[in-house]
């Protein structure tokens, strides 16, 4: 995953205000977030709904989900409660990463909610070099096939 961009490992990849993450930072954060999502029960073939505003955490969560072989449903920050309920009914996510505003729109049974602030904590701890609580995601030849669904 992202092997072709490894040659730019020290270059800035994501920018949010004064915050800058290099490709190396993103690779490190993706591994940590993938391990945390796996510990939360996300497995290959499961679905995760991203219902957050644009941020490094959005990008990192998407790659972490794909790293696990899970399928990412991309939510829209402008959706109404009715639209969020419809999307969760169609996508049937195991997990939903959402900010506070959008989490309040998720209907009961719409998937376990992980606050985007929690993902930010995982990212920050990974970038600070803190020892992960959960073991890294192992490379597995059976993790997925190039024809498997990846994004809804």
């Amino acid at each position: 995953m992202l092997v072709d961009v490894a040659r730019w490992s020290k270059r800035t990849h994501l920018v949010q205000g004064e915050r800058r993450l290099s490709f190396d930072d993103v690779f490190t954060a993706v591994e940590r977030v993938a391990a945390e999502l796996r510990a939360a029960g996300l497995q290959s073939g499961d679905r995760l709904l991203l219902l957050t505003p644009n941020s490094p955490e959005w990008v990192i969560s998407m790659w972490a989900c794909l790293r696990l072989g899970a399928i990412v449903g991309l939510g829209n920050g402008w959706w109404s409660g009715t639209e969020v309920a419809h999307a969760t009914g169609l996508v049937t996510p195991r997990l939903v990463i959402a900010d506070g505003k959008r989490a309040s729109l998720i209907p009961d049974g719409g998937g376990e909610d992980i606050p985007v602030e929690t993902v930010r904590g995982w990212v920050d701890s990974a970038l600070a070099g803190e020892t992960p609580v959960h073991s890294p995601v192992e490379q597995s030849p059976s993790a997925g096939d190039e024809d498997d669904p990846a994004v809804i």
Side-chain angles (χ1 to χ4, degrees):
M1 175 173 77
L2 300 175
V3 173
D4 291 338
V5 298
R7 64 181 170 215
W8 296 305
S9 61
K10 301 300 179 208
R11 289 188 185 177
T12 299
H13 177 46
L14 298 176
V15 176
Q16 183 183 36
E18 295 299 314
R19 193 171 172 214
R20 304 282 188 272
L21 280 76
S22 69
F23 282 94
D24 268 353
D25 293 338
V26 171
F27 299 153
T28 298
V30 164
E31 290 303 311
R32 174 67 61 86
V33 173
E36 296 292 347
L37 292 175
R38 186 188 61 201
L42 193 67
Q43 299 174 27
S44 181
D46 286 343
R47 296 173 178 189
L48 177 139
L49 179 62
L50 268 176
L51 201 54
T52 71
N54 293 337
S55 68
E57 286 67 38
W58 187 100
V59 174
I60 290 165
S61 295
M62 184 191 74
W63 283 115
C65 190
L66 296 175
R67 171 77 170 84
L68 294 172
I71 303 163
V72 186
L74 304 176
N76 185 320
W78 295 100
W79 281 346
S80 67
T82 302
E83 291 166 316
V84 170
H86 181 72
T88 56
L90 287 174
V91 173
T92 59
R94 175 178 295 271
L95 301 174
V96 179
I97 296 177
D99 66 332
K101 174 183 171 186
R102 290 156 187 90
S104 67
L105 302 176
I106 301 167
D108 290 340
E112 180 185 338
D113 174 35
I114 297 177
V116 71
E117 296 80 11
T118 298
V119 176
R120 171 76 187 254
W122 296 338
V123 169
D124 290 346
S125 68
L127 299 182
E130 295 175 15
T131 304
V133 174
H134 304 288
S135 60
V137 176
E138 302 271 334
Q139 287 287 359
S140 169
S142 63
D145 181 78
E146 66 182 31
D147 293 324
D148 287 347
V151 179
I152 302 173

